[in-house]
Amino acid sequence: ISLIDRTVSKNFLFFFFAGLSVFVTLFLAIDFVTATAKNQVELVIFAKYYAYYTFEIIYQLLPVACLLATLFTLGQLHKNNELVALFS
């Protein structure tokens, strides 16, 4: 595997997992605040609910995180003028 492939893959995976974790955290925080404002439920029940619901949230946010990682990776390659080197 070449050096540029490793660099692009490393940047993409970093932005992908960072974006996914930020999106999931924001989604869960906002959903938790709205759910606790509406309902008076024990914390243990909320923990079980979000433990199961997190996988569905990740499934829904995977395309958004992938798009974000692609855009940020290409932006970073453009900022460092590495796209010019790749196309030449």
Side-chain angles (χ1 to χ4, degrees):
I1 193 165
S2 68
L3 180 64
I4 193 68
D5 289 339
R6 280 186 280 164
T7 304
V8 171
S9 298
K10 183 179 74 168
N11 286 340
F12 178 81
L13 289 175
F14 171 74
F15 288 128
F16 177 75
F17 287 117
L20 187 64
S21 63
V22 166
F23 289 142
V24 168
T25 303
L26 283 174
F27 192 96
L28 287 176
I30 292 170
D31 192 53
F32 179 75
V33 168
T34 57
T36 54
K38 292 179 184 176
N39 305 322
Q40 298 296 329
V41 182
E42 295 178 17
L43 192 60
V44 175
I45 296 173
F46 269 126
K48 281 185 179 181
Y49 171 71
Y50 286 118
Y52 294 125
Y53 191 46
T54 302
F55 295 110
E56 184 178 342
I57 294 169
I58 290 172
Y59 178 74
Q60 290 176 352
L61 292 176
L62 278 175
V64 178
C66 187
L67 178 65
L68 177 89
T70 302
L71 292 175
F72 278 20
T73 301
L74 289 174
Q76 187 162 6
L77 288 174
H78 177 70
K79 183 180 83 172
N80 297 333
N81 290 326
E82 293 175 353
L83 285 177
V84 175
L86 284 175
F87 288 136
S88 64

